[in-house]
Amino acid sequence: MRGLIAKTLRETWLTTVFLACALCLVKFLLTFVLPQFQKEMGDLLAQLPMVQAMLSALMGIDVEEEFTARVLQSLVWVHPVVLAILWTHTIMFCTRVPAGEISGGTIDFLLSLPVSRRTVYCSESLMWVVSGLLLIVLGVAGHVAGAWVGSMENRPGPLVVLFVVVNQYGLYLAVGGVTCLFAAMSNRRGRAAAVVVGIVLGSFLLNFLSQFWQPAERLAFLGLLEYYRPAEIVRSGAFPLGDMIVLMLVAGAAWVAGGVIMIRRNICTL
Amino acid sequence: MIETINLTKKYGELVALNNLNLSINDGDCFGFIGPNGAGKTTTIRVLLGLLRPSGGGASIFGLDCWKRSPRIKRDVGYLPGDLRLYPWMTARNAIGIVGQVRKRGLAERGRELWDRFELDPEVRVRQMSRGMRQKLGLVLALVHEPKLLILDEPTAGLDPLMQDVLYRCLDEAIARGQTVFFSSHRLSEVEHLCDRVAIIRDGRIVADEPLETLRGRAAREVKLEFADAEAAGRAEVPAFLKIRERRGAQWVCDRTGEMPDLIRWMAGQPIADVTIGPPDLESLFRRFYEREGDAG
């Protein structure tokens, strides 16, 4: 497995470091800047109900009712740029094997080595989980640095931040698990990635529509973003156990299904 | 060493391999010949555990190719037909990674091989020509001195000098007792090395024989130079000669099988000169296809 890990590290470290630094910077800026615009944002939300609905979809609470300074802090964790960075990383990583190796034509070389497909899948997944953790940790570092440089007023406590981070990592793993499943079924990396991007955007759309459309509200439980609610955690201070169970179940089930498919499928290069 | 019994592989309605039976012994150099799309690469992919057979079975070292693929590949060196490697890879770090995965120190043997193939160990794959990538693929297949070498079109992209280097490497491997499975669409390639050849067409083996037997079945070109054009015109064509061309005093014919009856017949003819070519395996190879095609 060491050789495979060395290979994966060689191929992914630059992207991971780049995205982790980007996440750190974005979180630093958001944490530092957002509190200074609370009043302006409140006015903006009052004028633009669409933005209000979008924020509610992202934050998992009714922004109109509960737009406090503390809740505003949670925007750092759901800002589209933050989510885009996390999803880019997890989708990029989880489509590498086997879809990426097949579309690159390198799967023949990889599987000519005396390693089982299970080992290949697990070593890739191990690197994904670890590098995802690095990404999240650097994101937290950016947040802490932003809070330290800026005003400490109305900041959530460390335990609440930890709960939000765990919830975020759960979402990261759930999106990655689903990506692993589609990558295992696909011969083309781009196709697998497009499907997952579609699912993630669909999930956001479902959350957005559920703010004002009854049928979408009934289906909202199907979207992954329904189980990522930093604002709720910041408001209540409670660990999102139910959400985490759902996210981990989705991540685990999809990852295992992806592994089974990877082990049993025919490998045809294009 | 390699055995397939009624091996069948279907892609939906398409039958890529149809009851393929092969048996290759330890130390054999086996040529696997067929045109593009005949099923060569599919056979190899089943042997390497990349494809699951739809019927029948395949084994290497007595182990099932699908279920025990990782164990089998410990002792297999494989060069894919359409070799693609990671763009960032150099020969040096490729040997390092392969050594780590195989848990063996391969640096010294790797150095020896990249020197023989005149490969710069620091050049990245993205900067390599097709031939250089092929050489790197060969180095990676040969470096751990596997018991079995499976080579799919190994000379593709190699210049004649490098082809000679490859043939020498394979000769040495065979001398060490390694088994070689050499897949190609050109018979002339396997003629250099192999002692047995199987010809595959439409997923079926249409011939599987020692090369000597195939040579015996292959036609030889016979050029007969009569004393003059008149003598050539008078001579009666014997049944065992197939005339391809008559040009004045010269006949160009094909002769299949033993030579004594030809020699006896020539003794009674006013023949000034004769040239007998080597067995033409390529035309025999083509005939296998034509015959099958006619039957179909």
Side-chain angles (χ1 to χ4, degrees), chain B residues 174-186:
Chain B
I174 294 161
R176 277 194 296 268
Q178 292 170 250
T179 305
V180 178
F181 183 100
F182 193 121
S183 166
S184 175
H185 60 272
R186 284 166 51 207

Side-chain angles (χ1 to χ4, degrees), chain B residues 147-163:
Chain B
K147 285 185 196 159
L148 171 64
L149 272 164
I150 298 180
L151 308 174
D152 194 357
E153 313 276 359
T155 56
L158 295 185
D159 63 50
L161 288 177
M162 281 303 130
Q163 288 184 18

